[in-house]
């Protein structure tokens, strides 16, 4: 249906449109494809920067702005300006509003009533008399004179306007109409056709450039996947994972077990050494200072009873009670 409509439209168009359409579309496609690819790259970069950089930085700046500017001013408004405004309002009410109200009620209102009574007697009554017996007759006379002057002026203006109208029509309007009809209108139609075709070519080229850019992007993504991602995945799955498992089973686990055994043996040895040192210290103290020998005998029995098992654990042999 769309192909039939386009063929019908092309059949109804002029030869100038058909001759201009294909070269203009080819030139527009060549010029627009690089621009569209650059535009798509910029859009992808802008989305990445917006999601990864601009939004976190904006949130951090917003929080810093609130902490530096908003919260101090809110605290200043709440704890300083509001109480100060309330105090100033109370002072204004006490010092200005109440005295002004009393002055208005007790002084200005009676004084204003007196001035209104005097103004009515001294200004309104004489003004009414002057308007009724002087200004009204003078105004009627001036209005009658003005009507005559207006009529004469209207006749003169009408004659001058008629002469200027026909002069402008003969000298300006008719030549301008002829130029518009026989020169500007045909040129405008040609320029409109050219502009329409150029716009349509640019739109078509932009859409085609979008498809080209999408195909190039998919090709680059596929190339990156098959040259980098898939080999790296294969190396990780088939080489690094078995090697890691072998190293873990053959080296790391035996080394860890040996280290734990050495640690246990070292701890048992240190405990035995501590017991021996303690016994020597007690023997030296007993030899130098003297003392009961039961403690020494008990320590000897404890040292003799401490035997290190082959697995690295302390197994104390219970001694028979005497």
């Amino acid at each position: 249906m769309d192909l039939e409509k386009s063929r019908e439209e092309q059949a109804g168009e002029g030869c100038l449109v058909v001759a201009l359409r294909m070269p203009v579309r080819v030139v527009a496609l060549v010029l627009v494809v690089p621009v569209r690819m650059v535009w798509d790259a910029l859009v992808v970069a802008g989305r990445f920067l917006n999601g990864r950089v601009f939004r976190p930085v904006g949130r951090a700046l917003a929080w810093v702005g609130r902490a530096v500017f908003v919260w101090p001013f809110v605290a200043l408004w709440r704890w300083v300006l509001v109480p100060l405004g309330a105090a100033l309002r109370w002072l204004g009410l006490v010092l200005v509003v109440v005295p002004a109200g009393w002055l208005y009620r007790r002084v200005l209102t009676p004084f204003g009533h007196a001035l209104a009574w005097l103004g009515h007697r001294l200004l309104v009554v004489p003004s009414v008399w002057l308007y009724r017996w002087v200004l009204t007759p003078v105004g009627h006379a001036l209005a009658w004179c003005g009507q005559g002057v207006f009529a004469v002026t209207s006749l003169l203006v009408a004659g001058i306007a008629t002469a200027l109208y026909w002069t402008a029509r003969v000298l300006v309007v008719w030549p301008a109409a002829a130029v518009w009809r026989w020169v500007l209108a045909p040129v405008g139609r040609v320029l409109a056709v050219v502009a329409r075709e150029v716009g349509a070519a640019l739109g078509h080229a932009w859409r085609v450039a979008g498809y080209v850019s999408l195909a190039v992007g998919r090709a680059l993504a596929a190339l990156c996947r098959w040259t980098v991602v898939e080999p790296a995945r294969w190396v990780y799955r088939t080489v690094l994972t078995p090697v890691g498992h072998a190293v873990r089973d053959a080296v790391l686990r035996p080394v860890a077990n040996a280290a734990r055994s050495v640690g246990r043996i070292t701890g048992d040895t240190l405990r035995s050494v501590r017991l021996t040192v303690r016994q020597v210290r007690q023997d030296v103290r007993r030899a130098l200072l003297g003392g009961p020998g039961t403690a020494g005998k008990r320590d000897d029995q404890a040292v003799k009873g401490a035997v290190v098992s082959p697995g690295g654990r302390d197994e104390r042999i219970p001694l028979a009670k005497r």
Side-chain angles (χ1 to χ4, degrees), residues 27-87:
V27 173
L29 179 62
V30 172
L31 295 177
V32 169
V33 167
V35 177
R36 180 59 186 267
M37 295 180 69
V38 172
W39 174 260
D40 292 337
L42 292 176
V43 168
V44 173
R47 290 177 180 174
F48 176 78
L49 292 176
N50 185 30
R52 300 296 181 180
V53 178
F54 294 149
R55 286 187 179 178
V57 171
R59 294 190 185 99
L61 292 177
W63 185 86
V64 171
R66 287 196 300 270
V68 174
F69 295 103
V70 177
W71 294 342
F73 285 106
V74 169
L76 179 64
W77 171 263
R78 183 176 296 173
W79 302 109
V80 178
L81 296 180
V82 172
L84 182 61

Side-chain angles (χ1 to χ4, degrees), residues 158-196:
I160 295 172
T162 303
L164 292 176
Y165 169 75
W166 284 105
T167 302
R169 187 170 182 178
V170 172
L171 297 178
V172 178
V173 177
W174 290 351
V179 171
W180 171 262
R181 180 176 297 175
W182 303 108
V183 178
L184 296 179
V187 173
R189 293 190 185 95
V190 174
L191 293 178
V193 171
V194 173
R196 185 183 64 191

Side-chain angles (χ1 to χ4, degrees), residues 52-321:
R52 300 296 181 180
V53 178
F54 294 149
R55 286 187 179 178
V57 171
R59 294 190 185 99
L61 292 177
W63 185 86
V64 171
R66 287 196 300 270
V68 174
F69 295 103
V70 177
W71 294 342
F73 285 106
V74 169
L76 179 64
W77 171 263
R78 183 176 296 173
W79 302 109
V80 178
L81 296 180
V82 172
L84 182 61
L88 291 177
R89 182 180 63 182
W90 183 79
L91 289 176
L93 181 64
V94 173
L95 299 179
V96 177
V97 176
V98 175
W102 180 85
L103 180 64
Y104 176 77
R105 287 194 304 270
R106 301 298 181 182
V107 179
L108 295 179
T109 300
F111 184 70
H113 291 170
L115 287 179
W117 184 78
L118 292 175
H120 180 75
R121 294 296 181 183
L122 298 177
L123 294 176
V124 176
V125 175
S127 299
V128 170
W129 182 85
L130 180 64
Y131 174 78
R132 182 177 297 172
W133 301 106
V134 176
L135 296 179
T136 300
V138 173
H140 291 169
L142 291 176
W144 182 80
C145 295
Q147 289 178 358
V149 172
F150 179 76
V152 174
T153 305
S154 298
L155 291 175
L156 292 176
V157 170
I160 295 172
T162 303
L164 292 176
Y165 169 75
W166 284 105
T167 302
R169 187 170 182 178
V170 172
L171 297 178
V172 178
V173 177
W174 290 351
V179 171
W180 171 262
R181 180 176 297 175
W182 303 108
V183 178
L184 296 179
V187 173
R189 293 190 185 95
V190 174
L191 293 178
V193 171
V194 173
R196 185 183 64 191
E197 291 301 322
V198 169
L202 289 176
H204 181 72
W206 184 261
R207 292 189 294 272
V208 174
Y211 294 128
V212 173
S213 177
L214 181 61
V216 171
R218 289 180 178 176
L220 292 176
L223 180 62
C224 180
R225 185 175 66 251
W226 289 108
T227 56
V228 178
V229 177
E230 292 297 333
R233 184 182 297 174
W234 180 84
V235 169
Y236 175 78
R237 186 173 59 250
T238 59
V239 178
L240 296 180
T241 300
V243 170
H245 291 171
V247 170
R248 182 190 63 188
D249 296 335
V251 178
L252 297 180
R253 285 183 178 176
V255 169
N257 294 328
R260 285 194 292 270
S261 300
V262 170
R264 286 195 296 270
I265 295 172
T266 304
D268 295 336
T269 305
L270 291 176
R271 282 193 293 273
S272 299
V273 170
R274 283 199 300 270
L275 292 174
T276 304
V277 170
R278 185 182 302 169
Q279 180 64 32
V280 171
R281 187 173 63 249
Q282 290 178 357
D283 292 339
V284 171
R285 182 183 301 171
R286 187 169 56 252
L288 295 177
L289 301 177
T294 58
K297 293 180 179 179
R298 291 178 181 176
D299 293 334
D300 292 337
Q301 293 175 0
V303 172
K304 291 179 180 179
V307 179
V308 179
S309 64
R313 298 180 181 177
D314 289 341
E315 295 181 357
R316 300 187 181 275
I317 300 173
L319 299 178
K321 296 184 181 179

